[in-house]
């Protein structure tokens, strides 16, 4: 709580958290898609979660100076889990942060590209998976030259799912 208050966030608010991390390059939803989603979510407050390897992306996001984006500093996994526990909803690439959110009973939206979601998510009204109809998925490739499967997950679709959950 103190950490959130320090960031001028009220833990009682409906905090939307977004995690841009991906252990593989092919698991990362493009930053342009994230920016489109962030713009759709204004005036909501968005807590941006990230991890090792995302420093350049975080720097780029900071340079965009978008309103109501609260970027967490580098923290350890326990602190991250504590912060996630205050989320009203977590939007995340297919990564460990999404697993933490699900384990904490946070409503999650997982953006899945190359991996098969069926083995990783207990899908229900609180744990939603979004994929694209790419004919090559799931492929389990750690790198992809065009990331077609994630690029084609529309920010509009993600935004619609967020609104469904928040109602």
């Amino acid at each position: 709580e103190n950490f959130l208050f320090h960031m001028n966030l009220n833990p009682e608010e409906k905090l939307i958290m977004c995690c841009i991390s991906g252990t593989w390059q092919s698991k990362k939803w493009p930053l342009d898609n994230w920016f489109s989603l962030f713009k759709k979510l204004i005036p909501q407050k968005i807590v941006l979660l990230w991890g090792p390897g995302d420093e350049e992306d975080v720097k780029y996001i900071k340079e965009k100076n978008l309103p109501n984006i609260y970027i967490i500093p580098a923290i350890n996994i326990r602190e991250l889990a504590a912060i996630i526990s205050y989320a009203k909803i977590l939007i995340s690439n297919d990564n460990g942060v999404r697993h933490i959110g699900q384990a904490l009973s946070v409503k999650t939206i997982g953006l899945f590209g190359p991996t098969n979601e069926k083995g990783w998510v207990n899908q229900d009204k609180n744990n939603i998976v979004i994929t694209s109809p790419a004919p090559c998925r799931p492929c389990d490739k750690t790198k992809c030259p065009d990331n077609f499967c994630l690029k084609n997950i529309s920010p509009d679709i993600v935004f619609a799912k967020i609104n469904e959950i928040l109602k």
Side-chain angles (χ1 to χ4, degrees), residues 25-88:
Q25 167 269 334
S26 60
K27 286 185 173 188
K28 293 182 81 164
W29 200 37
L31 282 180
D32 287 343
N33 288 12
W34 283 112
F35 286 127
S36 294
L37 180 63
F38 296 156
K39 289 175 184 171
K40 291 176 182 306
L41 290 170
I42 292 171
Q44 302 261 5
K45 292 181 179 176
I46 301 164
V47 178
L48 186 73
L49 309 174
W50 60 281
D54 296 322
E55 293 82 4
E56 287 300 313
D57 290 343
V58 169
K59 180 181 172 187
Y60 184 67
I61 292 167
K62 283 180 181 177
E63 289 170 358
K64 291 289 184 183
N65 241 358
L66 294 172
N68 292 331
I69 302 286
Y70 297 83
I71 302 173
I72 64 165
I75 56 176
N76 67 44
I77 192 106
R78 283 185 175 201
E79 292 166 328
L80 178 64
I83 289 169
I84 293 169
S85 72
Y86 288 97
K88 175 69 177 172

Side-chain angles (χ1 to χ4, degrees), residues 44-159:
Q44 302 261 5
K45 292 181 179 176
I46 301 164
V47 178
L48 186 73
L49 309 174
W50 60 281
D54 296 322
E55 293 82 4
E56 287 300 313
D57 290 343
V58 169
K59 180 181 172 187
Y60 184 67
I61 292 167
K62 283 180 181 177
E63 289 170 358
K64 291 289 184 183
N65 241 358
L66 294 172
N68 292 331
I69 302 286
Y70 297 83
I71 302 173
I72 64 165
I75 56 176
N76 67 44
I77 192 106
R78 283 185 175 201
E79 292 166 328
L80 178 64
I83 289 169
I84 293 169
S85 72
Y86 288 97
K88 175 69 177 172
I89 185 169
L90 170 66
I91 302 95
S92 179
N93 293 318
D94 170 22
N95 60 33
V97 173
R98 193 203 56 75
H99 293 290
I100 292 170
Q102 189 172 355
L104 293 170
S105 298
V106 170
K107 296 176 184 206
T108 63
I109 295 176
L111 308 174
F112 277 73
T115 52
N116 190 337
E117 68 282 358
K118 290 177 176 74
W120 297 104
V121 182
N122 293 325
Q123 292 185 63
D124 58 29
K125 65 182 171 96
N126 294 318
N127 297 290
I128 295 170
V129 167
I130 301 176
T131 63
S132 74
C136 55
R137 82 162 300 277
C139 67
D140 285 323
K141 291 183 179 175
T142 58
K143 293 186 180 191
C144 179
D146 63 10
N147 268 24
F148 178 78
C149 59
L150 279 173
K151 280 182 188 172
N152 288 316
I153 295 175
S154 158
D156 290 333
I157 292 170
V158 178
F159 183 68

